[in-house]
Amino acid sequence: MKKRILFVCMGNICRSPAAEGILRSKAEKAGLAEHYAIDSAGTYSGHSGDLPDPRMREAAQRRGYRLTHRARPVLDEDFSRFDMLIAMDERNYDALDRLAFTLEDKAKIYRMTDFSSRHDYDHVPDPYYEGREGFELVLDLLEDACTGMLQRDGILTETRRHKREQIPAASEPKRPTSHTAPLSTGKRPAPSAISIFHHSYRGRCFEPHQCKTTCTPAGRCTYPTPLRIARH
């Protein structure tokens, strides 16, 4: 079943169409396009029907992204059509929160920077009145967050695990064996292989099957994020 994602900024001509194009490109390159349905929209309808800002298209093109989305406003039915509505900044987040009808709708709203791992920004700034550097910064932030989204979903982790399982056993390094039980140190043993990604968000476990001993039956993770999780 596809995960349906809607990226949201104000005019839907800079940040959100770029996020749409970046995530779609990363998913396609990883062979994961069938896992996602991706779109973008704006909280302001003044640019409806327009292509993304030429400066954003040019900056994205230099990185290999082709932005062809036509701007549209956020619609009421988007809350039922999408699993996640991801806001670029606090203003967009508040606008979506006001549009949400139910608590279930509100639970679908996220901030783009919630998925970042390499940058400390708490929002993706609007580059509309900025120069070239502003658009490059936005693309840096969006690339980071889109990679984080794929990792949080566990899809990249599962794909890499599948590839490792296909490697012949003869090519794997031999591990020493010992029949002597290790001395107890009172500390949690370090895993020999780990997957590094943000494990939970708002208390919801993204990979309950990977930490059965630390998550409740309801899937609520007892660990904070980010978390290093041993691969099983």
Side-chain angles (χ1 to χ4, degrees), residues 95-156:
L96 289 174
D97 188 69
R98 290 192 296 271
L99 289 173
F101 288 102
T102 66
L103 292 177
E104 182 179 359
D105 290 343
K106 290 178 182 290
K108 294 182 177 182
I109 306 172
Y110 298 80
R111 296 172 178 85
M112 190 69 184
T113 51
D114 289 336
F115 303 94
S116 300
S117 61
R118 295 186 295 107
H119 296 87
D120 294 329
Y121 283 73
D122 60 2
H123 70 289
V124 179
D126 189 346
Y128 190 78
Y129 296 105
E130 303 295 331
R132 175 171 175 172
E133 294 79 7
F135 287 88
E136 295 296 337
L137 171 61
V138 166
L139 291 174
D140 287 342
L141 297 175
L142 295 180
E143 287 180 331
D144 180 20
C146 286
T147 296
M149 292 179 65
L150 293 174
Q151 291 175 333
R152 286 196 183 191
D153 287 343
I155 294 177
L156 289 184

Tab-separated table of all heavy atoms in Angstrom, residues 95-156:
chain	number	residue	atom	x	y	z
A	95	ALA	N	-1.633	26.950	9.543
A	95	ALA	CA	-2.713	27.025	8.550
A	95	ALA	C	-3.354	25.658	8.351
A	95	ALA	O	-4.586	25.531	8.274
A	95	ALA	CB	-2.173	27.559	7.227
A	96	LEU	N	-2.531	24.615	8.284
A	96	LEU	CA	-3.062	23.256	8.138
A	96	LEU	C	-3.834	22.847	9.389
A	96	LEU	O	-4.883	22.191	9.300
A	96	LEU	CB	-1.925	22.271	7.887
A	96	LEU	CG	-1.245	22.352	6.519
A	96	LEU	CD1	-0.035	21.420	6.476
A	96	LEU	CD2	-2.226	21.994	5.408
A	97	ASP	N	-3.322	23.235	10.542
A	97	ASP	CA	-3.988	22.887	11.793
A	97	ASP	C	-5.385	23.502	11.860
A	97	ASP	O	-6.329	22.878	12.352
A	97	ASP	CB	-3.132	23.372	12.973
A	97	ASP	CG	-3.655	22.877	14.308
A	97	ASP	OD1	-3.570	21.653	14.560
A	97	ASP	OD2	-4.152	23.712	15.096
A	98	ARG	N	-5.528	24.711	11.336
A	98	ARG	CA	-6.844	25.365	11.323
A	98	ARG	C	-7.791	24.703	10.321
A	98	ARG	O	-9.013	24.703	10.520
A	98	ARG	CB	-6.692	26.851	10.988
A	98	ARG	CG	-6.040	27.673	12.081
A	98	ARG	CD	-6.191	29.163	11.812
A	98	ARG	NE	-5.496	29.575	10.596
A	98	ARG	CZ	-4.227	29.973	10.559
A	98	ARG	NH1	-3.508	29.995	11.657
A	98	ARG	NH2	-3.681	30.344	9.411
A	99	LEU	N	-7.241	24.133	9.257
A	99	LEU	CA	-8.076	23.483	8.249
A	99	LEU	C	-8.524	22.083	8.668
A	99	LEU	O	-9.518	21.570	8.149
A	99	LEU	CB	-7.302	23.372	6.932
A	99	LEU	CG	-7.063	24.666	6.149
A	99	LEU	CD1	-6.138	24.397	4.973
A	99	LEU	CD2	-8.394	25.252	5.670
A	100	ALA	N	-7.804	21.474	9.594
A	100	ALA	CA	-8.109	20.107	10.003
A	100	ALA	C	-9.465	20.050	10.714
A	100	ALA	O	-9.765	20.877	11.574
A	100	ALA	CB	-7.010	19.580	10.918
A	101	PHE	N	-10.287	19.051	10.346
A	101	PHE	CA	-11.622	18.915	10.924
A	101	PHE	C	-11.608	18.125	12.225
A	101	PHE	O	-12.359	18.409	13.147
A	101	PHE	CB	-12.561	18.225	9.927
A	101	PHE	CG	-12.946	19.081	8.760
A	101	PHE	CD1	-12.333	18.908	7.521
A	101	PHE	CD2	-13.899	20.072	8.884
A	101	PHE	CE1	-12.674	19.697	6.440
A	101	PHE	CE2	-14.257	20.871	7.807
A	101	PHE	CZ	-13.633	20.680	6.584
A	102	THR	N	-10.790	17.105	12.293
A	102	THR	CA	-10.808	16.182	13.420
A	102	THR	C	-9.411	16.022	14.012
A	102	THR	O	-8.407	16.448	13.423
A	102	THR	CB	-11.304	14.796	12.974
A	102	THR	OG1	-10.337	14.220	12.059
A	102	THR	CG2	-12.661	14.899	12.281
A	103	LEU	N	-9.350	15.368	15.164
A	103	LEU	CA	-8.061	15.073	15.777
A	103	LEU	C	-7.255	14.126	14.890
A	103	LEU	O	-6.021	14.201	14.838
A	103	LEU	CB	-8.266	14.446	17.159
A	103	LEU	CG	-8.842	15.370	18.235
A	103	LEU	CD1	-9.063	14.604	19.528
A	103	LEU	CD2	-7.897	16.558	18.481
A	104	GLU	N	-7.955	13.240	14.186
A	104	GLU	CA	-7.276	12.344	13.260
A	104	GLU	C	-6.620	13.133	12.134
A	104	GLU	O	-5.502	12.808	11.712
A	104	GLU	CB	-8.260	11.330	12.690
A	104	GLU	CG	-7.620	10.310	11.751
A	104	GLU	CD	-8.631	9.315	11.224
A	104	GLU	OE1	-9.829	9.412	11.597
A	104	GLU	OE2	-8.229	8.438	10.433
A	105	ASP	N	-7.301	14.167	11.655
A	105	ASP	CA	-6.716	15.026	10.622
A	105	ASP	C	-5.482	15.753	11.155
A	105	ASP	O	-4.463	15.851	10.472
A	105	ASP	CB	-7.741	16.063	10.146
A	105	ASP	CG	-8.860	15.454	9.339
A	105	ASP	OD1	-8.708	14.308	8.865
A	105	ASP	OD2	-9.914	16.115	9.189
A	106	LYS	N	-5.564	16.270	12.374
A	106	LYS	CA	-4.442	16.997	12.971
A	106	LYS	C	-3.226	16.098	13.143
A	106	LYS	O	-2.084	16.550	13.020
A	106	LYS	CB	-4.856	17.585	14.326
A	106	LYS	CG	-5.854	18.732	14.241
A	106	LYS	CD	-6.236	19.215	15.623
A	106	LYS	CE	-7.280	20.345	15.555
A	106	LYS	NZ	-6.685	21.590	15.007
A	107	ALA	N	-3.469	14.815	13.416
A	107	ALA	CA	-2.363	13.877	13.624
A	107	ALA	C	-1.594	13.608	12.334
A	107	ALA	O	-0.498	13.053	12.377
A	107	ALA	CB	-2.892	12.568	14.193
A	108	LYS	N	-2.150	14.007	11.200
A	108	LYS	CA	-1.474	13.792	9.912
A	108	LYS	C	-0.525	14.934	9.557
A	108	LYS	O	0.190	14.845	8.555
A	108	LYS	CB	-2.516	13.654	8.794
A	108	LYS	CG	-3.405	12.423	8.899
A	108	LYS	CD	-4.364	12.358	7.716
A	108	LYS	CE	-5.223	11.107	7.753
A	108	LYS	NZ	-6.122	11.022	6.574
A	109	ILE	N	-0.503	15.999	10.356
A	109	ILE	CA	0.294	17.178	10.044
A	109	ILE	C	1.685	17.045	10.661
A	109	ILE	O	1.824	16.748	11.848
A	109	ILE	CB	-0.395	18.451	10.549
A	109	ILE	CG1	-1.830	18.550	10.010
A	109	ILE	CG2	0.410	19.679	10.138
A	109	ILE	CD1	-2.634	19.686	10.621
A	110	TYR	N	2.712	17.291	9.844
A	110	TYR	CA	4.100	17.199	10.288
A	110	TYR	C	4.861	18.439	9.823
A	110	TYR	O	4.417	19.154	8.943
A	110	TYR	CB	4.785	15.958	9.699
A	110	TYR	CG	4.180	14.642	10.115
A	110	TYR	CD1	3.031	14.164	9.491
A	110	TYR	CD2	4.765	13.868	11.113
A	110	TYR	CE1	2.474	12.953	9.866
A	110	TYR	CE2	4.223	12.656	11.488
A	110	TYR	CZ	3.071	12.202	10.855
A	110	TYR	OH	2.526	11.005	11.232
A	111	ARG	N	6.010	18.641	10.413
A	111	ARG	CA	6.940	19.682	9.970
A	111	ARG	C	8.042	19.027	9.147
A	111	ARG	O	8.545	17.970	9.518
A	111	ARG	CB	7.537	20.421	11.157
A	111	ARG	CG	6.506	21.195	11.982
A	111	ARG	CD	7.131	21.738	13.255
A	111	ARG	NE	6.180	22.525	14.031
A	111	ARG	CZ	5.310	22.012	14.891
A	111	ARG	NH1	5.260	20.689	15.070
A	111	ARG	NH2	4.480	22.797	15.557
A	112	MET	N	8.454	19.657	8.075
A	112	MET	CA	9.476	19.085	7.205
A	112	MET	C	10.768	18.806	7.961
A	112	MET	O	11.412	17.772	7.767
A	112	MET	CB	9.741	20.029	6.028
A	112	MET	CG	10.616	19.433	4.935
A	112	MET	SD	9.751	18.108	4.052
A	112	MET	CE	11.028	17.523	2.953
A	113	THR	N	11.149	19.719	8.834
A	113	THR	CA	12.419	19.556	9.536
A	113	THR	C	12.363	18.481	10.619
A	113	THR	O	13.408	18.150	11.199
A	113	THR	CB	12.861	20.895	10.161
A	113	THR	OG1	11.785	21.446	10.931
A	113	THR	CG2	13.258	21.889	9.071
A	114	ASP	N	11.189	17.922	10.883
A	114	ASP	CA	11.111	16.790	11.809
A	114	ASP	C	11.899	15.595	11.278
A	114	ASP	O	12.263	14.699	12.037
A	114	ASP	CB	9.646	16.354	12.020
A	114	ASP	CG	8.851	17.364	12.830
A	114	ASP	OD1	9.470	18.118	13.595
A	114	ASP	OD2	7.622	17.399	12.678
A	115	PHE	N	12.147	15.585	9.979
A	115	PHE	CA	12.801	14.451	9.347
A	115	PHE	C	14.275	14.720	9.029
A	115	PHE	O	14.943	13.882	8.443
A	115	PHE	CB	12.064	14.068	8.057
A	115	PHE	CG	10.616	13.751	8.285
A	115	PHE	CD1	9.651	14.734	8.135
A	115	PHE	CD2	10.223	12.482	8.679
A	115	PHE	CE1	8.303	14.459	8.366
A	115	PHE	CE2	8.884	12.196	8.906
A	115	PHE	CZ	7.922	13.174	8.753
A	116	SER	N	14.769	15.887	9.422
A	116	SER	CA	16.159	16.239	9.139
A	116	SER	C	17.109	15.508	10.078
A	116	SER	O	16.770	15.213	11.226
A	116	SER	CB	16.359	17.754	9.284
A	116	SER	OG	15.521	18.463	8.392
A	117	SER	N	18.317	15.231	9.578
A	117	SER	CA	19.331	14.601	10.422
A	117	SER	C	20.657	15.346	10.385
A	117	SER	O	21.447	15.265	11.316
A	117	SER	CB	19.552	13.146	9.967
A	117	SER	OG	20.003	13.101	8.619
A	118	ARG	N	20.924	16.108	9.304
A	118	ARG	CA	22.207	16.786	9.162
A	118	ARG	C	22.123	18.290	9.418
A	118	ARG	O	23.155	18.942	9.557
A	118	ARG	CB	22.783	16.548	7.757
A	118	ARG	CG	23.128	15.100	7.470
A	118	ARG	CD	23.840	14.944	6.121
A	118	ARG	NE	22.968	15.317	5.001
A	118	ARG	CZ	23.099	16.435	4.293
A	118	ARG	NH1	24.038	17.309	4.602
A	118	ARG	NH2	22.281	16.693	3.284
A	119	HIS	N	20.928	18.846	9.482
A	119	HIS	CA	20.767	20.283	9.694
A	119	HIS	C	19.917	20.537	10.938
A	119	HIS	O	19.033	19.749	11.264
A	119	HIS	CB	20.117	20.940	8.474
A	119	HIS	CG	20.939	20.867	7.228
A	119	HIS	ND1	20.892	19.790	6.371
A	119	HIS	CD2	21.847	21.731	6.699
A	119	HIS	CE1	21.737	19.986	5.367
A	119	HIS	NE2	22.320	21.154	5.544
A	120	ASP	N	20.187	21.660	11.597
A	120	ASP	CA	19.504	21.979	12.853
A	120	ASP	C	18.391	23.007	12.687
A	120	ASP	O	17.886	23.531	13.674
A	120	ASP	CB	20.520	22.501	13.879
A	120	ASP	CG	21.522	21.434	14.285
A	120	ASP	OD1	21.142	20.246	14.282
A	120	ASP	OD2	22.672	21.796	14.592
A	121	TYR	N	18.013	23.321	11.465
A	121	TYR	CA	16.937	24.296	11.244
A	121	TYR	C	15.607	23.743	11.769
A	121	TYR	O	15.326	22.550	11.627
A	121	TYR	CB	16.786	24.604	9.755
A	121	TYR	CG	17.841	25.545	9.209
A	121	TYR	CD1	19.147	25.112	9.018
A	121	TYR	CD2	17.527	26.865	8.877
A	121	TYR	CE1	20.114	25.967	8.520
A	121	TYR	CE2	18.491	27.724	8.361
A	121	TYR	CZ	19.785	27.272	8.190
A	121	TYR	OH	20.737	28.110	7.688
A	122	ASP	N	14.771	24.626	12.350
A	122	ASP	CA	13.455	24.192	12.808
A	122	ASP	C	12.379	24.480	11.769
A	122	ASP	O	11.202	24.240	12.007
A	122	ASP	CB	13.093	24.844	14.149
A	122	ASP	CG	13.046	26.362	14.073
A	122	ASP	OD1	13.254	26.936	12.974
A	122	ASP	OD2	12.803	26.997	15.119
A	123	HIS	N	12.766	25.019	10.611
A	123	HIS	CA	11.825	25.264	9.525
A	123	HIS	C	12.617	25.383	8.226
A	123	HIS	O	13.846	25.543	8.230
A	123	HIS	CB	11.016	26.537	9.758
A	123	HIS	CG	11.819	27.798	9.629
A	123	HIS	ND1	12.769	28.173	10.574
A	123	HIS	CD2	11.849	28.764	8.664
A	123	HIS	CE1	13.325	29.313	10.205
A	123	HIS	NE2	12.788	29.691	9.042
A	124	VAL	N	11.913	25.285	7.104
A	124	VAL	CA	12.525	25.510	5.801
A	124	VAL	C	12.162	26.928	5.382
A	124	VAL	O	10.994	27.219	5.114
A	124	VAL	CB	12.014	24.500	4.748
A	124	VAL	CG1	12.650	24.776	3.395
A	124	VAL	CG2	12.296	23.072	5.194
A	125	PRO	N	13.125	27.846	5.354
A	125	PRO	CA	12.804	29.261	5.081
A	125	PRO	C	12.328	29.497	3.646
A	125	PRO	O	12.739	28.804	2.715
A	125	PRO	CB	14.151	29.965	5.339
A	125	PRO	CG	15.186	28.913	5.108
A	125	PRO	CD	14.566	27.634	5.574
A	126	ASP	N	11.468	30.477	3.495
A	126	ASP	CA	10.952	30.838	2.181
A	126	ASP	C	12.041	31.590	1.410
A	126	ASP	O	12.503	32.640	1.853
A	126	ASP	CB	9.717	31.729	2.353
A	126	ASP	CG	8.983	31.967	1.039
A	126	ASP	OD1	9.564	31.680	-0.031
A	126	ASP	OD2	7.834	32.434	1.090
A	127	PRO	N	12.459	31.083	0.235
A	127	PRO	CA	13.542	31.734	-0.509
A	127	PRO	C	13.060	32.799	-1.502
A	127	PRO	O	13.875	33.349	-2.246
A	127	PRO	CB	14.173	30.556	-1.260
A	127	PRO	CG	12.981	29.710	-1.608
A	127	PRO	CD	12.040	29.824	-0.418
A	128	TYR	N	11.758	33.070	-1.508
A	128	TYR	CA	11.176	33.903	-2.558
A	128	TYR	C	11.867	35.261	-2.682
A	128	TYR	O	12.085	35.759	-3.783
A	128	TYR	CB	9.686	34.110	-2.294
A	128	TYR	CG	8.938	34.747	-3.446
A	128	TYR	CD1	8.564	34.006	-4.566
A	128	TYR	CD2	8.618	36.100	-3.421
A	128	TYR	CE1	7.892	34.600	-5.632
A	128	TYR	CE2	7.947	36.702	-4.479
A	128	TYR	CZ	7.589	35.948	-5.582
A	128	TYR	OH	6.920	36.541	-6.634
A	129	TYR	N	12.218	35.877	-1.549
A	129	TYR	CA	12.850	37.193	-1.579
A	129	TYR	C	14.364	37.102	-1.355
A	129	TYR	O	15.012	38.108	-1.059
A	129	TYR	CB	12.222	38.099	-0.517
A	129	TYR	CG	10.760	38.383	-0.788
A	129	TYR	CD1	9.768	37.758	-0.036
A	129	TYR	CD2	10.371	39.244	-1.818
A	129	TYR	CE1	8.428	38.003	-0.298
A	129	TYR	CE2	9.026	39.489	-2.075
A	129	TYR	CZ	8.066	38.864	-1.316
A	129	TYR	OH	6.731	39.096	-1.580
A	130	GLU	N	14.906	35.909	-1.488
A	130	GLU	CA	16.336	35.712	-1.291
A	130	GLU	C	17.048	35.528	-2.626
A	130	GLU	O	16.425	35.370	-3.670
A	130	GLU	CB	16.575	34.472	-0.413
A	130	GLU	CG	15.885	34.521	0.935
A	130	GLU	CD	16.424	35.634	1.813
A	130	GLU	OE1	17.612	35.992	1.658
A	130	GLU	OE2	15.673	36.150	2.656
A	131	GLY	N	18.360	35.529	-2.581
A	131	GLY	CA	19.150	35.313	-3.782
A	131	GLY	C	19.397	33.830	-4.010
A	131	GLY	O	18.740	32.969	-3.424
A	132	ARG	N	20.378	33.553	-4.846
A	132	ARG	CA	20.693	32.170	-5.207
A	132	ARG	C	21.014	31.329	-3.972
A	132	ARG	O	20.628	30.159	-3.899
A	132	ARG	CB	21.867	32.156	-6.186
A	132	ARG	CG	22.372	30.765	-6.541
A	132	ARG	CD	23.383	30.813	-7.661
A	132	ARG	NE	23.957	29.500	-7.917
A	132	ARG	CZ	24.747	29.211	-8.938
A	132	ARG	NH1	25.066	30.153	-9.804
A	132	ARG	NH2	25.221	27.997	-9.097
A	133	GLU	N	21.715	31.934	-2.998
A	133	GLU	CA	22.089	31.187	-1.802
A	133	GLU	C	20.867	30.691	-1.044
A	133	GLU	O	20.879	29.611	-0.451
A	133	GLU	CB	22.949	32.062	-0.880
A	133	GLU	CG	24.307	32.446	-1.429
A	133	GLU	CD	24.231	33.591	-2.441
A	133	GLU	OE1	23.125	34.160	-2.610
A	133	GLU	OE2	25.259	33.903	-3.056
A	134	GLY	N	19.787	31.482	-1.064
A	134	GLY	CA	18.567	31.080	-0.366
A	134	GLY	C	17.947	29.840	-0.974
A	134	GLY	O	17.483	28.952	-0.246
A	135	PHE	N	17.953	29.738	-2.284
A	135	PHE	CA	17.389	28.565	-2.957
A	135	PHE	C	18.277	27.340	-2.748
A	135	PHE	O	17.778	26.223	-2.583
A	135	PHE	CB	17.204	28.850	-4.448
A	135	PHE	CG	16.070	29.781	-4.744
A	135	PHE	CD1	16.260	31.158	-4.759
A	135	PHE	CD2	14.794	29.296	-4.972
A	135	PHE	CE1	15.206	32.027	-5.006
A	135	PHE	CE2	13.729	30.147	-5.237
A	135	PHE	CZ	13.938	31.518	-5.243
A	136	GLU	N	19.602	27.554	-2.733
A	136	GLU	CA	20.507	26.430	-2.497
A	136	GLU	C	20.332	25.894	-1.074
A	136	GLU	O	20.360	24.679	-0.847
A	136	GLU	CB	21.960	26.863	-2.724
A	136	GLU	CG	22.278	27.255	-4.153
A	136	GLU	CD	22.134	26.103	-5.134
A	136	GLU	OE1	22.217	24.932	-4.713
A	136	GLU	OE2	21.928	26.373	-6.345
A	137	LEU	N	20.154	26.792	-0.118
A	137	LEU	CA	19.934	26.364	1.266
A	137	LEU	C	18.665	25.537	1.376
A	137	LEU	O	18.642	24.482	2.019
A	137	LEU	CB	19.838	27.576	2.195
A	137	LEU	CG	19.404	27.279	3.634
A	137	LEU	CD1	20.398	26.355	4.326
A	137	LEU	CD2	19.223	28.579	4.425
A	138	VAL	N	17.589	26.007	0.742
A	138	VAL	CA	16.323	25.267	0.781
A	138	VAL	C	16.504	23.863	0.211
A	138	VAL	O	16.027	22.874	0.784
A	138	VAL	CB	15.225	26.031	0.010
A	138	VAL	CG1	14.020	25.134	-0.261
A	138	VAL	CG2	14.796	27.253	0.801
A	139	LEU	N	17.202	23.747	-0.900
A	139	LEU	CA	17.417	22.427	-1.499
A	139	LEU	C	18.257	21.538	-0.584
A	139	LEU	O	18.001	20.329	-0.478
A	139	LEU	CB	18.088	22.580	-2.868
A	139	LEU	CG	17.216	23.197	-3.966
A	139	LEU	CD1	18.042	23.429	-5.235
A	139	LEU	CD2	16.011	22.318	-4.273
A	140	ASP	N	19.240	22.119	0.093
A	140	ASP	CA	20.033	21.342	1.057
A	140	ASP	C	19.131	20.771	2.155
A	140	ASP	O	19.229	19.598	2.511
A	140	ASP	CB	21.106	22.225	1.697
A	140	ASP	CG	22.244	22.556	0.747
A	140	ASP	OD1	22.387	21.856	-0.278
A	140	ASP	OD2	22.974	23.529	1.028
A	141	LEU	N	18.267	21.623	2.695
A	141	LEU	CA	17.375	21.198	3.783
A	141	LEU	C	16.386	20.143	3.300
A	141	LEU	O	16.101	19.167	4.008
A	141	LEU	CB	16.623	22.406	4.348
A	141	LEU	CG	17.478	23.492	5.009
A	141	LEU	CD1	16.614	24.674	5.421
A	141	LEU	CD2	18.218	22.932	6.221
A	142	LEU	N	15.851	20.330	2.102
A	142	LEU	CA	14.860	19.386	1.578
A	142	LEU	C	15.489	18.033	1.264
A	142	LEU	O	14.884	16.985	1.518
A	142	LEU	CB	14.195	19.965	0.326
A	142	LEU	CG	13.349	21.232	0.535
A	142	LEU	CD1	12.757	21.696	-0.792
A	142	LEU	CD2	12.249	21.006	1.561
A	143	GLU	N	16.683	18.032	0.703
A	143	GLU	CA	17.362	16.766	0.424
A	143	GLU	C	17.617	15.996	1.707
A	143	GLU	O	17.419	14.772	1.765
A	143	GLU	CB	18.678	17.034	-0.317
A	143	GLU	CG	18.489	17.448	-1.769
A	143	GLU	CD	19.799	17.706	-2.481
A	143	GLU	OE1	20.781	18.102	-1.803
A	143	GLU	OE2	19.857	17.516	-3.708
A	144	ASP	N	18.057	16.699	2.725
A	144	ASP	CA	18.310	16.069	4.024
A	144	ASP	C	17.026	15.455	4.584
A	144	ASP	O	16.997	14.291	4.998
A	144	ASP	CB	18.859	17.119	4.987
A	144	ASP	CG	19.155	16.563	6.369
A	144	ASP	OD1	19.313	15.327	6.510
A	144	ASP	OD2	19.244	17.367	7.321
A	145	ALA	N	15.943	16.227	4.587
A	145	ALA	CA	14.680	15.752	5.155
A	145	ALA	C	14.076	14.609	4.345
A	145	ALA	O	13.519	13.664	4.914
A	145	ALA	CB	13.684	16.909	5.264
A	146	CYS	N	14.170	14.677	3.021
A	146	CYS	CA	13.604	13.609	2.188
A	146	CYS	C	14.350	12.293	2.402
A	146	CYS	O	13.737	11.221	2.452
A	146	CYS	CB	13.642	14.006	0.714
A	146	CYS	SG	12.402	15.253	0.260
A	147	THR	N	15.665	12.370	2.551
A	147	THR	CA	16.430	11.164	2.871
A	147	THR	C	15.994	10.627	4.228
A	147	THR	O	15.822	9.415	4.412
A	147	THR	CB	17.934	11.477	2.885
A	147	THR	OG1	18.340	11.873	1.578
A	147	THR	CG2	18.742	10.250	3.298
A	148	GLY	N	15.789	11.530	5.186
A	148	GLY	CA	15.330	11.111	6.506
A	148	GLY	C	13.968	10.452	6.476
A	148	GLY	O	13.706	9.511	7.227
A	149	MET	N	13.091	10.908	5.597
A	149	MET	CA	11.768	10.301	5.482
A	149	MET	C	11.875	8.861	5.014
A	149	MET	O	11.217	7.966	5.556
A	149	MET	CB	10.894	11.105	4.512
A	149	MET	CG	10.509	12.472	5.013
A	149	MET	SD	9.511	13.375	3.815
A	149	MET	CE	8.059	12.350	3.800
A	150	LEU	N	12.699	8.616	4.009
A	150	LEU	CA	12.870	7.254	3.513
A	150	LEU	C	13.455	6.359	4.592
A	150	LEU	O	13.066	5.196	4.741
A	150	LEU	CB	13.777	7.261	2.279
A	150	LEU	CG	13.232	7.943	1.033
A	150	LEU	CD1	14.297	7.992	-0.053
A	150	LEU	CD2	11.992	7.231	0.517
A	151	GLN	N	14.393	6.894	5.366
A	151	GLN	CA	15.006	6.106	6.426
A	151	GLN	C	14.027	5.831	7.566
A	151	GLN	O	13.999	4.733	8.114
A	151	GLN	CB	16.239	6.831	6.952
A	151	GLN	CG	17.377	6.876	5.935
A	151	GLN	CD	18.556	7.696	6.410
A	151	GLN	OE1	18.417	8.616	7.223
A	151	GLN	NE2	19.732	7.373	5.900
A	152	ARG	N	13.227	6.809	7.918
A	152	ARG	CA	12.264	6.611	9.001
A	152	ARG	C	11.206	5.578	8.639
A	152	ARG	O	10.733	4.839	9.487
A	152	ARG	CB	11.576	7.931	9.358
A	152	ARG	CG	12.460	8.882	10.133
A	152	ARG	CD	11.626	9.964	10.768
A	152	ARG	NE	12.465	10.920	11.456
A	152	ARG	CZ	11.985	11.852	12.277
A	152	ARG	NH1	10.688	11.936	12.485
A	152	ARG	NH2	12.795	12.696	12.875
A	153	ASP	N	10.851	5.550	7.387
A	153	ASP	CA	9.877	4.549	6.952
A	153	ASP	C	10.465	3.151	7.017
A	153	ASP	O	9.738	2.155	6.967
A	153	ASP	CB	9.415	4.828	5.514
A	153	ASP	CG	8.482	6.028	5.452
A	153	ASP	OD1	7.957	6.407	6.504
A	153	ASP	OD2	8.297	6.570	4.360
A	154	GLY	N	11.794	3.058	7.102
A	154	GLY	CA	12.436	1.749	7.172
A	154	GLY	C	12.586	1.097	5.825
A	154	GLY	O	13.091	-0.019	5.726
A	155	ILE	N	12.142	1.774	4.749
A	155	ILE	CA	12.175	1.158	3.427
A	155	ILE	C	13.609	0.976	2.952
A	155	ILE	O	13.993	-0.076	2.472
A	155	ILE	CB	11.374	2.000	2.414
A	155	ILE	CG1	9.889	1.981	2.796
A	155	ILE	CG2	11.555	1.468	0.999
A	155	ILE	CD1	9.019	2.834	1.912
A	156	LEU	N	14.445	2.027	3.124
A	156	LEU	CA	15.833	1.892	2.708
A	156	LEU	C	16.547	0.833	3.531
A	156	LEU	O	17.364	0.074	3.036
A	156	LEU	CB	16.557	3.232	2.842
A	156	LEU	CG	16.169	4.315	1.844
A	156	LEU	CD1	17.038	5.542	2.047
A	156	LEU	CD2	16.302	3.812	0.420
